[in-house]
Amino acid sequence: GAGEARRTSLAMQYKPLRRHANLFEDWTEWVHPPLLHAIRSSNASALLDLLREEAGGGDSSGVYSLPLFLDAEGGCAFCDLLLDELDGYYASGLPIERPNSMNNYGIIVNAIGMRPAIDRLQAAVLHPLAALLYPEQAEGGFTSHHSFMVKYKAGQDLGLDMHTDDSDVTVNVCLGKDFRGAALTVCGDSRSPSHRQ
């Protein structure tokens, strides 16, 4: 539709201004090496060893953290490159498509040309992880993604109210450099009686 045509036009306008062309092709080169090896070798045990269940209790919470883009030195070169690229887009003066109605500061990264790279990451890394952790939701593969970055800062957006993501599986990646006081709160499955209201 019209939205997709607008995003394609924006991506083409931004293409000659890109700072890091490889960010628009394939993100798997930055995936944490042990994670990528475990996925490529179909080693479920090694994958589970990399996961940390969050907000656990008696029942499985279904919320996990893992080193997705952690490099061998313990840093995140990918995060630095992505933030630099997003700064470049902001500096370009091109229109910014906001990710949702709740965030005033953020950008849909698909709209600037990153959809193919995220498609590859989704197929090569995120779907195999989801198939292990959420087999029902992952059955048949994923058909789309709404990939975006949001920014929280004093004097701008400070946080996000409770909401329900319109997705089968949600992946959050912390790109932050230096900050304090940030937290991600997951209230559980909204269809469950134990869901926090």
Side-chain angles (χ1 to χ4, degrees), residues 108-181:
I108 298 174
V109 296
N110 291 346
I112 68 170
M114 292 185 173
R115 179 182 296 278
I118 301 170
D119 286 345
R120 288 182 187 96
L121 180 73
Q122 180 175 289
V125 177
L126 302 179
H127 184 262
L129 268 174
L132 175 68
L133 301 172
Y134 317 106
E136 183 179 329
Q137 290 83 355
E139 186 177 343
F142 295 142
T143 57
S144 65
H145 54 84
H146 178 58
S147 302
F148 58 91
M149 182 278 304
V150 293
K151 181 168 41 173
Y152 301 109
K153 181 178 175 181
Q156 296 180 357
D157 288 339
L158 299 177
L160 187 59
D161 287 338
M162 190 182 312
H163 65 280
T164 300
D165 287 350
D166 183 23
S167 62
D168 293 320
V169 176
T170 296
V171 177
N172 289 290
V173 178
C174 178
L175 301 173
K177 292 181 180 181
D178 241 350
F179 60 88
R180 292 179 317 180

Side-chain angles (χ1 to χ4, degrees), residues 47-75:
L47 275 174
L48 291 172
D49 286 345
L50 292 167
L51 299 174
R52 184 177 78 204
E53 188 165 14
E54 302 291 342
D59 297 327
S60 174
S61 68
V63 178
Y64 301 90
S65 63
L66 72 151
L68 183 58
F69 293 114
L70 191 65
D71 60 35
E73 290 77 42

